[in-house]
Amino acid sequence: MPDTGADGFGAGPRFFSGVSLLAITGSYGSGKTELAANLAMLLAETGRPTTLVDLDVVNPYFRSRDMREPFLARGIEVVAPPGQFSHADLPMLPPRVQGAIEDTGRHVILDAGGDPMGARVLARYSGLVQARGYRMVLVANSRRPDTLDAEAIAAMAASIERSSRLGIHEIVANAHLMEETTVEIINEGIRASREAARARGIVFHTACALEDTARRLDLSRAEAPVLLLKKTMLKPWEKGWRASRAHQER
Amino acid sequence: MGEKILMKGNEAVAEAAIRAGCRHYFAYPITPQNELVEYMAKRMPKVNGTFLQAESELAAINMVLGAAACGVRAMTSSSSPGISLKQEGISYIAACRLPAVIVNVTRGGPGLGNIAPMMCDYFQATRGGGHGDYYTPVLCPSTVQEFADHAPLAFEIAERYLTPVLILADGLLGQMMEPVEFPEKTPVPKDQSDWCVGPWEGKRTSHHVINSLFIVPEDLEEKTRILFEVYEEIKKNEIRYETYNMESNPSLVVAAAGTAARVTKSAIDELKAEGIEVGLVRPITLWPFPSEAVAKAASGAKKMLVIELNMGQMVEDIRLAVSGACPVEFAGKAGGVVFTPEDIAALIKEKM
């Protein structure tokens, strides 16, 4: 069943009911950045001023800062190390991160780095985030080596909470094997995430799948609502890669 | 085969090495291969293996030498500048005739360069790299699955010929994720009494002396002669390559390895849809180089185009292999800037 959300304008804003700041965590490769990018686009489409903060100081490639152009074109502010520093493997946080968190006039998405190590950056801002009010989600791909089952997902949630000094409210199932994803894999992820959420006493509501995957598969067989994502993180041999990076290469 | 999981190339090669029986890994961190180090740090204690973050790249490669001399499967990894630092040790391992696996997830150079996916260590990898008269077999994967498959293969080649083996992948392959599965079987260990220090009760009467210092010129000459006999065997048995769309009798053939080959394949598919047939020859072993396969691909072609993520290194081996049978042209990108399929399709049309 497609996830249309209770408020009538899509599943994206559901994550923001009652809050205007969403922190997205998970193991690296869980699909955090895809979810962050898509939610930013959904917010922008509904006319909300939106800021996407790239807090990934762990991954050297495939970060939201690598594709600023489509965000800028939609009026989304992208906060990441500027210019030449966006290619540096330095744990560098621009001052605007704090400004963005304090700017309650805008919706804010914090795209954390992978694993408890990447989420540690959030701890630097945990006081401000708590003062503003927030929701934090864990994105779990049960085909990634550190989150293969419910127990591992729950353990990942616990250690990310410790390192980020923030609480996780919801687990989002994003089980996939890229082009080789099947409905069985999606359901396997839904079950693992649901069980992990139950064990931690938090919410499980939604699974994710790429639109391309959805076209190929019968998602009416999915055992939870599925939020459809547009693929934004491309590889050089995939169409549109250059255009997505145009801003950087100028 | 087990179930498929989603992994970065760096993680996949680490897991595959462990499954291939590697229990001794020594390294010093550097981007863009840190996930390999992290993965080993996480997994080795769980399989009763040794993970050791050395104080430097030099220390790490010499630990590999020591471990290999004791008869265990040992591995190190780094990225371009770190691999330069390891060259002295690699030369010693080659001279000592010890099996070892070295992974280079390359970055932009020269110098400190950057962390982008440039494939600019081809010369270093294929010409011995360190000092002295030697070579190392070089495997060059172009998918995450192939990167993983190269780990057991590298240990197998290393032990069969008693040589260090290099896996050369660019940063993109290290960083990107793809579904991967691991073979259940591990390479059968070779009789360690062939190289291990020993003692070997019943098999040998004395220890092996692991050494690379031969003061008498005739002794060193003899050692080098044996080394080059082994290299001839490796050339005979271990050359690997892939061809793509060659059955279409293309008039233009691209030669590319690693990520460049990956992008080229997408371009070839695009062009095929437009009715333009282009072939690809992809060396998988960069040393020994698949010269005969390249010559064969060139023999029916009007032109060969070499595409590299550097300013032109493999093109020299291609020119030697083609040996004037057809014109060889080159296109490259430096700095870690990567071709897109559109770039390559346009280039091919221009060259045709």
Side-chain angles (χ1 to χ4, degrees), chain B residues 29-314:
Chain B
I30 181 171
T31 310
Q33 62 86 58
N34 282 331
E35 295 81 2
L36 207 171
V37 186
E38 286 161 16
Y39 196 89
M40 288 296 199
K42 215 160 45 182
R43 282 276 287 145
M44 276 299 190
K46 292 184 184 152
V47 293
N48 286 325
T50 298
F51 163 83
L52 201 152
Q53 183 173 321
E55 71 270 32
S56 72
E57 285 85 352
L58 274 74
I61 191 70
N62 285 297
M63 288 170 189
V64 168
L65 190 157
C70 296
V72 298
R73 288 194 169 139
M75 176 170 138
T76 187
S77 66
S78 191
S79 179
S80 308
I83 294 289
S84 292
L85 289 167
K86 289 184 198 289
Q87 290 302 338
E88 180 193 54
I90 297 172
S91 168
Y92 278 53
I93 294 170
C96 292
R97 305 239 15 241
L98 291 171
V101 173
I102 299 119
V103 179
N104 182 1
V105 181
T106 65
R107 51 189 262 172
L112 207 44
N114 62 21
I115 59 169
M118 194 177 178
M119 182 53 100
C120 50
D121 300 348
Y122 181 93
F123 283 153
Q124 184 196 58
T126 57
R127 267 65 178 170
H131 63 281
D133 215 353
Y134 77 100
Y135 291 93
T136 50
V138 182
L139 300 169
C140 182
S142 90
T143 63
V144 170
Q145 182 66 59
E146 197 177 26
F147 200 3
D149 293 344
H150 280 174
L153 177 62
F155 278 108
E156 223 174 290
I157 295 173
E159 287 173 19
R160 191 177 307 145
Y161 303 99
L162 298 179
T163 175
V165 174
L166 193 68
I167 303 177
L168 187 70
D170 61 65
L172 198 65
L173 202 51
Q175 288 301 323
M176 72 179 193
M177 292 202 187
E178 284 184 313
V180 61
E181 61 186 333
F182 299 97
E184 299 294 347
K185 67 176 181 70
T186 61
V188 181
K190 192 178 169 181
D191 182 354
Q192 294 160 329
S193 66
D194 284 356
W195 81 88
C196 180
V197 277
W200 294 98
E201 301 270 331
K203 282 188 180 163
R204 290 175 53 87
T205 52
S206 64
H207 297 278
H208 273 292
V209 177
I210 310 286
N211 177 34
S212 69
L213 176 66
F214 303 102
I215 292 175
V216 178
E218 285 71 18
D219 292 351
L220 183 55
E221 183 189 36
E222 176 59 9
K223 287 285 173 190
T224 311
R225 188 188 62 73
I226 294 169
L227 212 50
F228 276 73
E229 266 176 28
V230 173
Y231 295 152
E232 283 310 310
E233 280 300 299
I234 297 175
K235 284 184 196 169
K236 224 180 289 167
N237 305 327
E238 304 299 342
I239 288 175
R240 287 171 172 81
Y241 62 92
E242 181 200 5
T243 58
Y244 190 70
N245 201 36
M246 285 303 293
E247 64 289 345
S248 67
N249 291 319
S251 63
L252 187 143
V253 175
V254 175
T259 289
R262 192 80 180 262
V263 184
T264 301
K265 275 187 187 176
S266 293
I268 288 175
D269 293 345
E270 262 176 45
L271 290 168
K272 200 180 184 73
E274 291 176 35
I276 302 169
E277 298 292 358
V278 177
L280 170 73
V281 53
R282 175 174 76 91
I284 297 173
T285 49
L286 302 184
W287 192 92
F289 194 73
S291 302
E292 273 177 39
V294 170
K296 188 167 166 251
S299 67
K302 287 204 184 72
K303 191 181 274 182
M304 198 132 193
L305 173 61
V306 184
I307 296 177
E308 297 185 66
L309 299 181
N310 59 48
M311 293 306 283
Q313 301 189 17
M314 186 175 79

Side-chain angles (χ1 to χ4, degrees), chain A residues 130-154:
Chain A
Q130 277 163 340
R132 174 174 173 152
Y134 71 103
R135 172 173 281 123
M136 185 151 97
V137 299
L138 175 87
V139 183
N141 178 357
S142 57
R143 287 302 179 110
R144 283 282 300 150
D146 281 340
T147 47
L148 289 171
D149 54 29
E151 204 184 327
I153 294 169

Side-chain angles (χ1 to χ4, degrees), chain A residues 93-152:
Chain A
L93 299 164
R96 177 65 193 148
V97 175
Q98 181 168 342
I101 294 170
E102 287 174 332
D103 184 356
T104 51
R106 301 177 71 86
H107 277 65
V108 176
I109 297 174
L110 303 179
D111 179 15
D115 289 358
M117 205 197 327
R120 188 172 301 252
V121 175
L122 286 168
R124 154 82 179 75
Y125 304 104
S126 62
L128 293 169
V129 168
Q130 277 163 340
R132 174 174 173 152
Y134 71 103
R135 172 173 281 123
M136 185 151 97
V137 299
L138 175 87
V139 183
N141 178 357
S142 57
R143 287 302 179 110
R144 283 282 300 150
D146 281 340
T147 47
L148 289 171
D149 54 29
E151 204 184 327

